[in-house]
Amino acid sequence: MPVVSRCFTCAAVVSVAVALVVATPSTATAQGSLDTSSSPALDEPYVGGPEGELFIPEVDNDTVAVMDTATNTITERIPLDVPVGPSHPAVLAKTPDGSKIYTDNFGLLSPSISIIDRTNDTTVTMPVESVPLGIFTSGDGKEIYIPEMGFVVEVLDVATDTIVRRLRFDDIPAGAMAGPDGLMYVGFVSGLIGAYDPVTGATVKPPIWAGGLATFWYSFTQDGKKLYTDTVNSIGVIDVEKWELTKTIASEENGVGGLMNPGAFTSEISPDGRKLYVTRFGKNGVMVFDTTDDKLLGVIPTTGDVIGLTFSADGSRGYISDSGPTSRNVPGPIGEAITFMNLITIGFLGPGTLITFDPDTDHILDTTATAPGPGIPAWVPHLD
């Protein structure tokens, strides 16, 4: 069953787009819209952000930008060097206290992760067994899960920053996230998702169809009863207790499923638990759903594909990584593949944008220019 990840091998990405004939069409949902007419003009000074810092990986610049979220100004860029080729940092994980930031480096020639120690003001890059497809913090915050192209999830101890075990699978793990029940939920490139003991790797919930190919990212509702999966052209909804896929949601505003719909790439639940935000490759905009009935509330506009988003700890701000207009070329999965190729190879993307929005109203409050390819950011408080 092994296949190659959509995220890191150009030929495989195109193959996934062609292979969409095996994907399950999505069921329709109600269409919605967001009124952004009351959003402030973007040339007005930004006022009132939370005290803290947003770390933003810049994939095609081999850097992590640090933004002061009180003023939305970039204060520094941390270079990430690897032995051979570009590093391409794209996804960030953090310790619960925010003292360390971990990056997965998408560079194909030097598989690695980087560790940014904010307390000691140091950055260290360490090799991993194979190309990392993501990086995630365990439920207790003591470990980091690194799903990799080599059919393995490596587990790192944050106290020592060393790999303490390797969990091997028969499929390529694209994601490895902690569930509210303490299990490690692994999404596979094949479109399956299962739950495993994070210490032994023993199967607790057998792999089931997640609703589409390449289950790279997923989000639990706050009560832990529903799991939303992000796949090539739809969003799956899984009943966690019954452990079954109950429906799929279209990644198009019209609510109609289709093989050429854009890819649902990553997602986050709002701090109050009421809304699901889904980023897309292959079409502009971040979709916003009501977690009660899974209805589409609207779409936050962007100028290009969106890799990820996050929220400040107090829930007053949301942050969207907009790849910019150079990422918009061909709609649907083919456009998704082109964007991936730009991110993981030489990179022909122009500058990106970090969008700050109000999670209450979903109105855009500010934009901040970034280097090409802003990735999945992480908000942290200032260190004491």
Side-chain angles (χ1 to χ4, degrees):
M1 184 164 57
V3 292
V4 183
S5 167
R6 72 170 181 177
C7 302
F8 304 98
T9 301
C10 305
V13 169
V14 177
S15 299
V16 166
V18 175
L20 287 174
V21 292
V22 303
T24 303
S26 304
T27 53
T29 62
Q31 185 174 357
S33 62
L34 293 174
D35 177 12
T36 58
S37 59
S38 61
S39 296
L42 297 185
D43 57 355
E44 295 177 1
Y46 178 67
V47 180
E51 296 287 340
E53 291 182 322
L54 188 73
F55 282 67
I56 311 162
E58 296 171 316
V59 184
D60 281 349
N61 200 49
D62 297 339
T63 54
V64 174
V66 183
M67 186 179 84
D68 184 322
T69 54
T71 61
N72 277 12
T73 54
I74 302 293
T75 58
E76 68 172 313
R77 279 190 165 86
I78 302 169
L80 300 182
D81 298 320
V82 294
V84 181
S87 57
H88 286 335
V91 184
L92 301 185
K94 62 183 180 180
T95 54
D97 63 0
S99 62
K100 289 182 181 179
I101 305 288
Y102 295 83
T103 80
D104 79 323
N105 299 328
F106 279 13
L108 298 175
L109 300 179
S110 297
S112 66
I113 65 169
S114 294
I115 305 160
I116 301 170
D117 188 322
R118 298 174 68 216
T119 302
N120 297 316
D121 194 24
T122 59
T123 301
V124 176
T125 296
M126 61 178 285
V128 292
E129 189 173 284
S130 58
V131 176
L133 308 184
I135 195 160
F136 307 94
T137 307
S138 66
D140 60 10
K142 296 180 180 180
E143 295 181 326
I144 298 293
Y145 302 148
I146 312 163
E148 298 174 15
M149 191 182 290
F151 301 86
V152 65
V153 174
E154 296 200 76
V155 181
L156 178 141
D157 183 337
V158 301
T160 61
D161 286 332
T162 57
I163 301 296
V164 292
R165 60 186 176 277
R166 295 178 175 89
L167 307 177
R168 302 195 181 275
F169 300 91
D170 294 329
D171 196 349
I172 295 176
M177 294 186 178
D181 51 10
L183 299 176
M184 180 174 66
Y185 285 75
V186 180
F188 297 99
V189 171
S190 64
L192 300 178
I193 186 169
Y196 303 87
D197 184 305
V199 176
T200 66
T203 301
V204 179
K205 296 180 179 181
I208 61 173
W209 180 241
L213 299 173
T215 317
F216 168 66
W217 203 274
Y218 23 100
S219 297
F220 289 90
T221 53
Q222 287 189 347
D223 60 10
K225 294 182 179 180
K226 276 197 295 190
L227 175 63
Y228 295 100
T229 62
D230 309 311
T231 73
V232 165
N233 64 357
S234 66
I235 303 151
V237 183
I238 291 176
D239 183 314
V240 176
E241 184 177 358
K242 295 180 180 178
W243 196 235
E244 64 181 21
L245 179 72
T246 59
K247 63 180 170 182
T248 55
I249 303 172
S251 56
E252 278 283 7
E253 288 89 331
N254 62 12
V256 178
L259 299 180
M260 295 307 293
N261 279 4
F265 191 53
T266 63
S267 61
E268 294 289 343
I269 301 291
S270 62
D272 62 11
R274 295 186 299 112
K275 291 184 282 190
L276 171 74
Y277 294 81
V278 180
T279 73
R280 296 185 292 187
F281 267 24
K283 189 169 184 179
N284 300 13
V286 174
M287 304 183 81
V288 186
F289 295 91
D290 187 319
T291 55
T292 302
D293 56 14
D294 302 329
K295 299 292 187 182
L296 178 65
L297 300 174
V299 176
I300 300 175
T302 65
T303 61
D305 291 345
V306 176
I307 298 179
L309 62 91
T310 194
F311 298 94
S312 59
D314 64 2
S316 68
R317 296 291 185 269
Y319 303 98
I320 297 170
S321 295
D322 182 353
S323 296
T326 56
S327 67
R328 290 306 323 116
N329 34 70
V330 180
I334 301 301
E336 180 180 8
I338 293 171
T339 298
F340 279 132
M341 287 191 285
N342 274 325
L343 287 173
I344 67 174
T345 56
I346 298 174
F348 294 101
L349 294 177
T353 301
L354 193 287
I355 297 173
T356 301
F357 70 98
D358 181 346
D360 231 11
T361 63
D362 294 329
H363 290 167
I364 294 173
L365 302 176
D366 194 30
T367 60
T368 305
T370 72
I376 299 173
W379 188 92
V380 290
H382 287 302
L383 293 176
D384 295 331

